[in-house]
């Protein structure tokens, strides 16, 4: 679930972190993209190179004519969006896995490898806090948690290595103290259900899109979906 660092009353002991790790701003190309700054429309990917026509005379073929098979062209923007979204959803999954099992070093490293910068450091600190308090996340049996991409990923102008996408997250994960309840059951620390709409920023590192940060647009306490808008 998204980390609540955009809230002034954020308490790291109570957060149900584990996937995107939203922050107020992220650094891009040496500058800073503020949470309230408007985003320029993302440019398309580099265009296909144009080949100049040849002046050589045509070659006559003696082979029988065949019916040309049309080629399928993938729109560059569509391909970019698919790659960014796939990497984002995998980072989300690995973050939740690590938060459900914070003492598992392999799961922690797998989740950290899908993040860079502030997002990575926030997840590292959150998992360390979980271990110190014997906390973990557990699925809510009544309200399924979900993350939905609402706006396709696109490059942020003028960057060629940073992309953004908009998501809706239903954060219904239960924050528990492991084994602290009756008969060794888990004691629930935070059962709140929150729906939130956020912009997530990802950076391309050696061909893989890694979560760098983002900003929360709006949240709805007790809601199991994001209102249209």
């Amino acid at each position: 679930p998204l980390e609540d660092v955009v809230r002034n009353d954020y308490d790291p002991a109570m957060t149900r972190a584990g996937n995107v790790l939203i922050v107020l701003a992220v650094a891009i190309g040496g500058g800073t993209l503020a949470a309230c700054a408007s985003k320029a429309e993302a440019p398309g990917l580099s265009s296909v190179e144009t080949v100049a026509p040849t002046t050589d005379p045509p070659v006559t073929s003696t082979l029988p004519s065949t019916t040309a098979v049309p080629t399928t062209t993938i729109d560059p923007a569509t391909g970019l969006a698919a790659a960014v979204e796939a990497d984002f959803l995998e980072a989300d999954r690995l973050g939740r896995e690590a938060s459900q099992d914070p003492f598992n070093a392999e799961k922690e490293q797998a989740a950290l490898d899908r993040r860079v910068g502030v997002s990575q450091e926030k997840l590292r600190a959150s998992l360390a806090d979980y271990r110190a308090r014997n906390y973990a996340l557990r699925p809510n049996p009544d309200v399924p948690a979900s993350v939905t991409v609402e706006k396709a990923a696109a490059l942020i102008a003028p960057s060629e290595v940073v992309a953004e996408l908009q998501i809706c997250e239903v954060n219904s994960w239960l924050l528990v103290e492991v084994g602290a309840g009756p008969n060794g059951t888990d004691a629930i620390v935070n059962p709140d259900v929150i729906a939130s709409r956020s912009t997530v920023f990802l950076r391309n590192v050696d061909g893989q899109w890694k979560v760098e940060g983002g900003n929360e647009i709006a949240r709805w306490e007790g809601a199991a979906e994001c209102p249209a808008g």
Side-chain angles (χ1 to χ4, degrees):
L2 301 180
E3 187 166 10
D4 299 335
V5 299
V6 296
R7 299 176 62 188
N8 292 332
D9 59 345
Y10 166 65
D11 179 358
M14 299 299 291
T15 183
R16 292 171 293 165
N19 61 15
V20 184
L21 302 179
I22 293 300
V23 295
L24 279 173
V26 292
I28 297 178
T32 299
L33 177 64
C36 60
S38 60
K39 311 296 189 306
E41 184 175 351
L45 299 180
S46 56
S47 59
V48 178
E49 181 181 356
T50 301
V51 179
T54 179
T55 57
D56 294 336
V59 177
T60 302
S61 174
T62 58
L63 296 176
S65 61
T66 60
T67 302
V69 178
T71 59
T72 302
T73 302
I74 299 177
D75 176 57
T78 301
L80 169 76
V84 174
E85 290 166 19
D87 284 351
F88 161 72
L89 291 173
E90 180 64 4
D92 171 79
R93 183 186 70 81
L94 292 171
R96 292 195 319 260
E97 283 193 356
S99 296
Q100 293 176 81
D101 191 8
F103 286 92
N104 188 310
E106 291 184 1
K107 291 181 180 180
E108 176 179 14
Q109 191 57 53
L112 292 174
D113 286 345
R114 289 288 181 152
R115 292 161 172 76
V116 292
V118 174
S119 179
Q120 185 184 74
E121 291 310 308
K122 289 291 184 182
L123 177 58
R124 193 192 311 275
S126 177
L127 293 174
D129 185 66
Y130 277 23
R131 290 190 292 271
R133 297 172 181 268
N134 199 29
Y135 284 176
L137 293 185
R138 296 289 182 262
N140 188 319
D142 300 317
V143 183
S146 65
V147 177
T148 304
V149 176
E150 294 185 322
K151 291 185 180 179
L155 295 175
I156 297 177
S159 172
E160 295 182 357
V161 295
V162 178
E164 66 175 351
L165 51 77
Q166 181 177 301
I167 66 166
C168 168
E169 181 184 33
V170 177
N171 182 352
S172 61
W173 291 91
L174 303 175
L175 179 66
V176 304
E177 184 176 356
V178 180
N183 301 317
T185 58
D186 296 336
I188 296 177
V189 177
N190 187 338
D192 295 346
V193 176
I194 299 171
S196 61
R197 176 170 288 131
S198 304
T199 300
V200 181
F201 305 105
L202 300 97
R203 181 174 293 274
N204 191 309
V205 180
D206 297 329
Q208 186 176 84
W209 292 94
K210 301 191 177 188
V211 177
E212 185 171 49
N215 65 276
E216 185 178 87
I217 300 169
R219 66 164 48 204
W220 298 272
E221 306 283 343
E225 63 181 0
C226 294

